[in-house]
Amino acid sequence: MSKIVKNVEEAIRDVNDGATIMFGGFGLCGIPENSIAALVRKGVKGLTCISNNAGVDNFGLGLLLQKHQIKKMIASYVGENAEFERQMLSGEMEVELVPQGTLATRCMAAGYGMPAIFTPAGVGTEVAQGKEVRKFTFNGVEKEYLMEYAFDADFAIVKAWKGDTEGNLIYRATARNFNPVMAMAGKITIAEVEHLVQPGELDPDHIHTPGIYVHRIFQGEKFEKRIEQRTVRKK
Amino acid sequence: MLDKNGIAKRIAREVKDGMYVNLGIGIPTLVANYIPEGIHVTLQSENGILGMGPFPFEGEEDADFINAGKQTVTLLPGSSIFDSATSFGMIRAQKVDLTILGAMEVSEQGDIASWKIPGKMVKGMGGAMDLVASAKNIIVAMQHVNKAGESKLLSKCTLPLTGVKCIKRIVTEMAVLDVTPQGFKLLELAPGVSVEQVKNATAGRLIAEGNIPEMKID
């Protein structure tokens, strides 16, 4: 059975109202922009989105926000999006803020087949409310740790630089970020790539995500790759 | 009184040869500009870089190369790239030697609040909770008082916490202070600042013993 889908619409064909979806990316870097645009066009609603950030007002997940397609957002940092802040403070959208390392590790745990992790992040803060706290002596130091559950997502949608028809993926520079751990964590993982190549064209030693984790792959039609903070120095 | 760059310059003196250092957004980012010559430091950016370099030259910026503040950056020779789980793995496992970050409030117990003003501003904690929960050595870079003129060094934080009993040193435009069991211990004064001024700007317990030296910056 081929993992190649002919376009983004086919890739997201069964993403329906109420789905829980992980989106790779950090800020606007390494986000699956073709899939986000297609979800906006499809008009699916009531989504639970797991993503480090929530895009900006007119790009990335901000596009889904504008159309009120997100019911709940699970993220670590949402500072760059005024519409997000508005929907959160008004209670239109449910928001779960998760420490960034906890977010990444909850993805990783899902991909590694582990139901939960223990982390010191958030102990003694409101993040710990209602969660099991346990003391461990680790590296000779006794400390409190929070139990955090692995994510349970219907879909993971990731963006890679190169992928082959077997689903093997290679990311480029910091566009890697959450993509590999989310790719491992979806019940169905959809990868959009800048370059789709034939088996044998990628060096097996250089694969970041083994194809076993990827169910559908396609070459994105167009990548805008918008820069959020253009910082430069003079020559 | 120091400006932001002055605070960054003073903190740069805390950086030692061979350290792996994570710099937060704002004043901490400026520290990279003032690392003394001859000191080799590797900067960690929690979105997945070890060996972060300066901003790119005009026209050479690349959307795939950003830091944790989403700014375009470059990589130095010998750098490496990794995923977010690995990045926080090395933070949790205390491989990163020094963390420098900003704060809205710090308490005399070393608690820090930096991510939320209930009902007003909610940006999220990003990686700050993970960093403060695990780092061996944390320096807070911040202004001594907020925009309303209220002290940010308190006996107890009023805002939701980022971490508990984790801050050891604070550098502000007025002073260098350590968090001790007795309170904020005044270590150094910025040029032109008196002990009295620091006392007035500090709501928590301040310990000023003996002659407090002036900060060395350059």
Side-chain angles (χ1 to χ4, degrees):
Chain A
M1 199 185 80
S2 173
K3 295 183 178 185
I4 308 163
V5 289
K6 65 174 190 295
N7 56 31
V8 64
E9 276 73 27
E10 198 186 321
I12 61 151
R13 62 188 181 263
D14 51 358
V15 179
N16 296 320
D17 289 358
T20 297
I21 313 171
M22 290 176 167
F23 292 91
F26 187 98
L28 301 179
C29 180
I31 59 171
E33 49 182 281
N34 289 277
S35 300
I36 293 169
L39 288 168
V40 173
R41 288 196 296 274
K42 192 176 178 185
V44 282
K45 290 207 156 33
L47 302 176
T48 295
C49 298
I50 304 168
S51 167
N52 188 54
N53 312 92
V56 293
D57 279 329
N58 57 4
F59 201 59
L61 292 184
L63 298 171
L64 286 167
L65 273 168
Q66 275 181 1
K67 296 275 166 67
H68 301 268
Q69 290 171 272
I70 301 176
K71 181 186 75 179
K72 181 177 180 182
M73 186 77 218
I74 301 173
S76 88
Y77 189 81
V78 294
E80 277 89 16
N81 193 318
E83 173 62 13
F84 184 96
E85 205 158 8
R86 195 195 62 74
Q87 288 189 26
M88 170 169 59
L89 293 174
S90 70
E92 280 168 64
M93 178 180 48
E94 195 186 332
V95 177
E96 183 184 338
L97 289 166
V98 177
Q100 200 174 123
T102 301
L103 189 77
T105 313
R106 289 175 69 187
C107 295
M108 193 197 78
Y112 278 28
M114 301 186 298
I117 57 149
F118 285 92
T119 176
V123 169
T125 75
E126 62 179 55
V127 164
Q129 279 168 14
K131 290 177 186 162
E132 183 179 336
V133 177
R134 249 202 240 185
K135 272 187 187 164
F136 290 96
T137 301
F138 183 54
N139 287 336
V141 180
E142 192 189 61
K143 204 163 143 171
E144 289 186 329
Y145 293 81
L146 277 189
M147 187 168 78
E148 298 273 10
Y149 292 104
F151 282 121
D152 185 5
D154 303 316
F155 298 91
I157 307 183
V158 301
K159 187 261 169 176
W161 180 42
K162 288 181 180 174
D164 69 16
T165 56
E166 298 293 310
N168 296 304
L169 303 177
I170 295 178
Y171 309 91
R172 180 169 179 269
T174 55
R176 190 180 321 184
N177 58 62
F178 280 82
N179 282 297
V181 283
M182 287 184 169
M184 294 165 71
K187 284 196 196 68
I188 294 174
T189 292
I190 299 166
E192 61 173 77
V193 300
E194 288 183 58
H195 306 282
L196 184 61
V197 301
Q198 292 304 308
E201 289 187 50
L202 303 180
D203 183 340
D205 271 335
H206 294 169
I207 302 295
H208 297 133
T209 295
I212 192 168
Y213 286 113
V214 177
H215 305 89
R216 298 172 196 166
I217 189 165
F218 67 99
Q219 186 169 304
E221 201 177 309
K222 172 178 151 260
F223 287 94
E224 181 182 333
K225 294 177 58 164
R226 195 184 289 189
I227 292 175
E228 205 165 325
Q229 306 275 350
R230 186 180 303 270
T231 45
V232 294
R233 64 193 155 126
K234 290 239 187 287
K235 269 190 192 172
Chain B
M1 297 269 189
L2 304 175
D3 61 4
K4 284 180 180 182
N5 284 293
I7 297 174
K9 272 186 198 172
R10 174 59 191 81
I11 292 176
R13 297 174 65 93
E14 303 278 323
V15 175
K16 305 284 181 287
D17 193 44
M19 274 186 168
Y20 290 96
V21 181
N22 179 289
L23 301 177
I25 296 164
I27 301 173
T29 305
L30 300 173
V31 174
N33 301 334
Y34 302 109
I35 309 257
E37 248 177 80
I39 287 187
H40 177 76
V41 169
T42 305
L43 298 181
Q44 201 251 17
S45 190
E46 66 265 24
N47 58 320
I49 308 175
L50 273 172
M52 180 170 56
F55 295 149
F57 288 120
E58 265 179 341
E60 290 175 10
E61 62 272 26
D62 182 327
D64 288 342
F65 291 76
I66 64 162
N67 64 15
K70 288 106 184 175
Q71 297 170 311
T72 46
V73 292
T74 56
L75 303 183
L76 296 174
S79 62
S80 59
I81 293 283
F82 34 86
D83 65 70
S84 300
T86 307
S87 181
F88 284 93
M90 64 184 71
I91 288 165
R92 235 180 267 122
Q94 300 192 322
K95 306 295 177 187
V96 177
D97 301 295
L98 175 63
T99 292
I100 302 167
L101 77 178
M104 297 173 187
E105 295 176 348
V106 177
S107 81
E108 60 192 40
Q109 292 85 37
D111 298 348
I112 173 173
S114 63
W115 67 285
K116 183 178 182 181
I117 302 172
K120 268 194 201 156
M121 188 284 294
V122 188
K123 290 188 185 298
M125 64 293 278
M129 281 197 184
D130 308 272
L131 282 157
V132 300
S134 295
K136 290 178 278 198
N137 196 0
I138 306 170
I139 300 176
V140 165
M142 66 175 191
Q143 303 296 325
H144 216 100
V145 296
N146 65 21
K147 282 182 189 136
E150 298 156 346
S151 178
K152 294 168 73 172
L153 287 84
L154 309 173
S155 52
K156 247 188 130 169
C157 291
T158 63
L159 296 169
L161 296 179
T162 308
V164 177
K165 294 191 178 81
C166 51
I167 305 305
K168 297 197 172 59
R169 181 158 288 185
I170 305 157
V171 180
T172 74
E173 77 282 17
M174 302 178 89
V176 180
L177 308 104
D178 266 0
V179 175
T180 71
Q182 291 76 39
F184 297 111
K185 188 168 174 17
L186 182 57
L187 299 181
E188 297 172 21
L189 290 165
V193 174
S194 68
V195 173
E196 207 50 37
Q197 279 175 294
V198 177
K199 253 186 198 153
N200 290 338
T202 306
R205 271 181 299 173
L206 184 79
I207 303 153
E209 289 169 348
N211 224 358
I212 311 293
E214 186 171 293
M215 277 184 215
K216 288 193 181 72
I217 291 168
D218 292 306

